[in-house]
Amino acid sequence: MTMEQNDLSTAYKRTFDRLALYLLAVFLSPMLFGACLALYSVIAVRDSWDFGPTALVAAVYSLPFFALAACPVSLFVDYSVKTRGKPRRFKLLIYAVSGGLAGLVGSVILQEIFSILFMTSFGMVGGLVHFGVIELLKKLFKSS
């Protein structure tokens, strides 16, 4: 293999590893978010559903939002020239605002099932959960 082919192979591997990390986060975030919502539902609302079904339904309903909104936002935040050097607090704020916007879009799509404030606040929580999952995955896979 020539030097150029080796460099290209290394670049492809690095890109694949980055995308794999974000795709893993897209599948882990809804499960953790569903668990958070189920815990809230069991403790605060005393819903008639158990923890497992509530977590599963919340994870299934939130998966498209994480896949279509959170993944592109997280790629932009981590690899954009404008936000790459910013502190974690700034990135956390971007994740919370974009999650709130995704919750707002979710309340429009689901119409009168949930209130706008309720969905926006849970969207913000989802954005923060996704930020935490990505940061944890970066630390886990950076050390190995």
Side-chain angles (χ1 to χ4, degrees):
M1 238 185 349
T2 65
M3 180 79 94
E4 290 176 5
Q5 288 175 336
N6 192 20
D7 290 342
L8 190 61
S9 175
T10 305
Y12 282 146
K13 184 184 180 315
R14 191 176 328 130
T15 302
F16 177 77
D17 289 345
R18 287 178 183 173
L19 286 177
L21 180 113
Y22 287 96
L23 287 177
L24 180 62
V26 163
F27 288 108
L28 290 178
S29 295
M31 289 189 280
L32 186 60
F33 179 66
C36 291
L37 283 180
L39 190 63
Y40 169 76
S41 176
V42 167
I43 292 173
V45 182
R46 300 191 191 272
D47 197 8
S48 61
W49 287 17
D50 288 335
F51 179 82
T54 304
L56 180 66
V57 167
V60 168
Y61 272 95
S62 66
L63 180 65
F65 291 102
F66 281 105
L68 298 175
C71 187
V73 167
S74 59
L75 285 170
F76 172 75
V77 167
D78 286 341
Y79 296 111
S80 173
V81 176
K82 294 179 182 180
T83 58
R84 187 178 310 153
K86 299 291 183 181
R88 281 195 175 143
R89 288 182 185 177
F90 181 75
K91 291 180 181 181
L92 191 69
L93 181 65
I94 291 175
Y95 276 94
V97 169
S98 61
L101 290 174
L104 184 65
V105 169
S107 69
V108 170
I109 290 172
L110 297 175
Q111 293 177 356
E112 296 180 10
I113 296 175
F114 301 109
S115 71
I116 292 174
L117 183 62
F118 181 77
M119 289 295 287
T120 303
S121 63
F122 276 130
M124 293 174 92
V125 169
L128 297 177
V129 165
H130 189 67
F131 176 76
V133 167
I134 285 179
E135 290 297 314
L136 181 68
L137 286 175
K138 282 181 190 177
K139 287 185 183 203
L140 282 175
F141 288 114
K142 193 174 201 176
S143 64
S144 62

